[in-house]
Amino acid sequence: MIALLILGVLTALSFMVVQSLIARMEASQDVVAQASELRSSIHKTMLALDSISMGDPAEARKEARSEAEELQAGLGKLLDTFNRSEPQAEIRSIMDDPHDGLARQVRMLIERANAAVAEHQEPLHVPSAHSGSAASHTEPMNHQSRGGGGAPHLAHGAQGAHGAPAMKAVDALIKKLRENAHAEQEHAAFVHNALGAGMLVILLIEAAIIFRPLLKRAETETRRADLVTSELEYLAAHDALTGLLNRGQIDRVLSVAVQEAANTNRQLGLILLDLDGFKAVNDTLGHAAGDAVLTAVAKRIQSILCSTSIGGRLGGDEFIVILPGLQKESEAETIAKQLLSSISDPVFFEGREIIPDASIGYAMFPIAGSNVAALLSAADLAMYNAKRSGRGRISKFSEPMRAESERARLIDSEIKSALPSGQFEVYYQTIHEADSDRISAAEALIRWHHPRRGVLTPDAFLGDLRRIGQMDALTAFVLGEAIRQVSNWRRAGFDIGKVHVNVAEEFLLKADAAREVKSLLAAHGVHPSSLVLEIPEETSLNNPAVVATVEGFHAAGIRVAVDDFGVGSVSMHHLCKPAISVVKIDRALVRDLHSSPECKALMASMAGMFRDMGKSVIVEGVETRQEAELLQAVGFKQFQGFLWARPLPAADVLSTALAIQPKVA
């Protein structure tokens, strides 16, 4: 009887211990599940913040606002369950620590999300007159623009970094809860063994009736927790949209691949791929169409790679392929060609056909670089070389690319310091009337007094200036200097007539370009009719924004000239518009005037045509008296060229001009 009583007591005690364990495990599992849901919300909020900082924020704000609300609800739910579970002090510290606690970090992330949404709802700032996107076109001008998709944007960028403490805290909570779950299981095993010494038969029965199902349930819950952890690990290593490895995981994988290649003395290929014109897809068809293109490209990359090759998305529209264990370099080129061919297949989205295009660069370890940073840099240089060469190209890294990159870096640094240090100066080349040689105007031309290379003309630096985005600042400088100089000359008794200033298409695309120029004229007391803005012939006059700016100049009384006419692609119907009042004929049509009857007939026809249209015509590049006489004979009235003057500093222009024509009263 006593034994049975003891066994009964032990059985009851065992039952109570087991029930207590089950309750604690279930409560702990609830917290783990809700913490996992909260982690997913944190991740989505970080992605939404990245989207706000990387692209058109309209869709991203909506997503950020929604995710912030989900994050707030998830935190409240977790706190409620957490408080009911009576957590240990260490776990409570992870949740409630006033500095690094999960609750505080999540609330901070919610505040950042709300702040980002509010910030991007503010009206866009309109640039000032000294930060416009203008360009100074000069003789001869190299109008090259860099094509393609832009710089890569890394997953979890600047905004994502603000969410890292919250992510770290929730990971620590999940880890600690799992550790406690395992500790509870170990405790149960200890109790089971202790009680088993006195009630072996009863425990066997209980094990058959009670413990075995409970242990199976515990194992099931543990497997569920493992699956949740595996899913979180997958999300942390892969791009959410394409399923390819993300930037962080690619860095780790590439480091391992480079180390293995070095240890085995084998080659490693690295391919970088950037979509051409991808921004236009987003802008014209929407981000959903852009996502469809990115997803299709990712699938095509995966379909081409073998089991040992690795594909990833670095961010934006830039992808990477790691090719370990190559026997020869030609294998990398073959895969690059396969990628280029596959990617160019059409993508169909909502009944529309989108044809992706890509620029691909590749580099080989160890020839191109002996470490990860050098290898990535080499592949990047090759990729941008392909992009500069045209759409749909493949480029292999070579050492001259690195030298050119270093040259460009040095020039970038020199250009950025040239303007504030006063190294740029505006020269002027006078424009003359044919019958009297009288000065009727002058064209403003930029010169760079380089500390090592001497005086440089624009063809030596404008391409680099445009590439680094400094055309706005330089154009504002040239406009301001030219208008100020007209005012100074008139105070000195010299009326230049009109001053011509070259502007590039970037400047014409600004909505406030006309207002900016009018403000400069008013500041120096110069009448708008004294200014002629020259636009390159290749400027797209089919662009409504450009047309609106040109018409704005015309309405303000500022004359607009088509420069370099005869060698570009301007449509003749654009010259019928009254906003284009001046045509400057390029030197290329003057060069063969004396030897080509056809050229002479063409020039005579143009002189009559533009005269009948009421356009002022200036012939550029006149270098000999014979050319001037032939041009005058067929009807041209104004000339510019070395026959009269080379570009000179403002002071020399004044002294030369006063020797030709008297001062004004």
Side-chain angles (χ1 to χ4, degrees), residues 367-435:
I367 298 174
S370 58
N371 55 56
V372 171
L375 191 61
L376 275 170
S377 174
D380 192 61
L381 289 172
M383 186 264 288
Y384 278 104
N385 182 68
K387 191 172 289 291
R388 285 192 298 269
S389 301
R391 297 165 63 93
R393 301 293 181 89
I394 297 173
S395 177
K396 169 193 167 186
F397 170 78
S398 62
E399 281 302 326
M401 292 180 189
R402 208 187 302 274
E404 174 61 22
S405 175
E406 179 59 27
R407 183 200 72 83
R409 186 198 62 77
L410 177 61
I411 289 178
D412 292 354
S413 176
E414 291 176 338
I415 288 177
K416 289 177 181 178
S417 64
L419 193 58
S421 61
Q423 295 176 21
F424 285 114
E425 182 181 2
V426 178
Y427 279 35
Y428 300 87
Q429 185 177 32
T430 51
I431 298 171
H432 295 256
E433 295 177 354
D435 54 355

Side-chain angles (χ1 to χ4, degrees), residues 7-61:
L7 289 176
V9 171
L10 292 175
T11 301
L13 180 61
S14 175
F15 181 80
M16 293 171 59
V17 170
V18 170
Q19 290 299 316
S20 175
L21 170 63
I22 293 173
R24 287 198 298 271
M25 289 178 63
E26 289 179 341
S28 177
Q29 193 57 46
D30 286 343
V31 177
V32 169
Q34 292 178 17
S36 298
E37 292 176 359
L38 183 65
R39 189 187 193 280
S40 178
S41 294
I42 292 171
H43 184 258
K44 292 178 181 178
T45 303
M46 293 163 67
L47 290 177
L49 292 177
D50 282 349
S51 297
I52 291 178
S53 64
M54 291 190 296
D56 180 4
E59 189 66 23
R61 288 198 305 270

